[in-house]
Amino acid sequence: MMNMKMAGIAAAVVVILTVGGWQLSKHMTSAEPLTEAEAATKVKELYPGEIVDLSKQQDRYLIAIKNDTGIYKVEIDSITGEIASMKQTEEHTPPQPERSEQEPEKTPQPENTPDASEPPNNEPPSKSPANQITQVEAASIALERFGGEIDDIELEQYNGISFYLVEIETGDGREVTVHVNAISGEVDTFTWDD
């Protein structure tokens, strides 16, 4: 009889602890969703520019931000506040200075003209344009933005635009693919892998 009573008390304690633990975990993990103002503030803190559009779709805010280089669409998770993606939707290029008719066009001089005082350079010429950043520079730009370790880096081209795809595993175990413009060195877009 005593064993039955103890078993009943033990079962009641287990049920109470289980329900209590479930309620506690539910309370601790239920975050308040971001407000539009909080989402806008977070994007302004991370990216320079003026917010020109803000809307909410399901559990994400879609924010358009305009700066000197263009218009970017930023997706931010309304629950966690994490940036899900960023993509340039419109590119702005600064106006080129006009050349006066009196100013003659300069003929570019080869950069690698051998100098008699210097030993000859026996390295093969680079296959990339002189103004293109290197893989190391692209990796450095991506790591400066996201931190972590480089998984892979590839030079790609789309519609005549060269860019590096830099895959990074961040310190918290997530993976992000960063598109770094091979000419400007700017991060065009990035995508968090699931």
Side-chain angles (χ1 to χ4, degrees):
M1 182 77 111
M2 186 69 146
N3 285 342
M4 285 289 247
K5 194 173 192 182
M6 290 299 279
I9 291 173
V13 168
V14 168
V15 168
I16 289 171
L17 288 176
T18 303
V19 170
W22 172 67
Q23 287 295 322
L24 182 62
S25 71
K26 183 177 169 186
H27 175 70
M28 291 180 71
T29 59
S30 64
E32 290 291 320
L34 291 177
T35 65
E36 284 187 4
E38 290 169 332
T41 300
K42 183 164 182 102
V43 169
K44 281 183 180 179
E45 288 172 357
L46 294 171
Y47 308 107
E50 171 191 355
I51 293 180
V52 293
D53 188 35
L54 189 149
S55 63
K56 185 172 183 186
Q57 290 184 350
Q58 297 173 350
D59 62 344
R60 296 192 189 273
Y61 284 105
L62 303 177
I63 300 173
I65 189 163
K66 180 180 179 180
N67 63 26
D68 295 340
T69 60
I71 297 178
Y72 297 83
K73 182 178 88 174
V74 180
E75 288 186 35
I76 184 169
D77 187 294
S78 65
I79 303 297
T80 65
E82 292 182 1
I83 304 295
S85 71
M86 179 178 176
K87 183 174 184 176
Q88 186 172 18
T89 58
E90 189 176 312
E91 185 174 352
H92 297 160
T93 53
Q96 298 294 325
E98 291 185 26
R99 193 181 314 212
S100 70
E101 291 183 25
Q102 298 167 349
E103 182 182 330
E105 187 173 326
K106 294 180 182 176
T107 306
Q109 297 297 317
E111 292 180 15
N112 297 330
T113 305
D115 185 357
S117 64
E118 295 180 17
N121 182 358
N122 294 329
E123 294 181 18
S126 172
K127 292 183 181 178
S128 63
N131 59 348
Q132 183 169 302
I133 66 172
T134 65
Q135 278 190 347
V136 172
E137 291 170 318
S140 176
I141 291 165
L143 285 173
E144 182 179 314
R145 180 84 171 265
F146 295 97
E149 292 185 25
I150 301 289
D151 280 343
D152 190 24
I153 184 166
E154 295 177 12
L155 180 62
E156 300 283 331
Q157 191 170 29
Y158 181 73
N159 286 341
I161 299 173
S162 297
F163 58 91
Y164 289 98
L165 283 177
V166 183
E167 295 178 11
I168 298 175
E169 185 169 330
T170 61
D172 59 1
R174 297 183 305 158
E175 291 185 8
V176 62
T177 302
V178 185
H179 294 226
V180 179
N181 186 297
I183 304 300
S184 69
E186 293 183 13
V187 173
D188 291 331
T189 64
F190 61 88
T191 307
W192 291 101
D193 296 337
D194 294 330

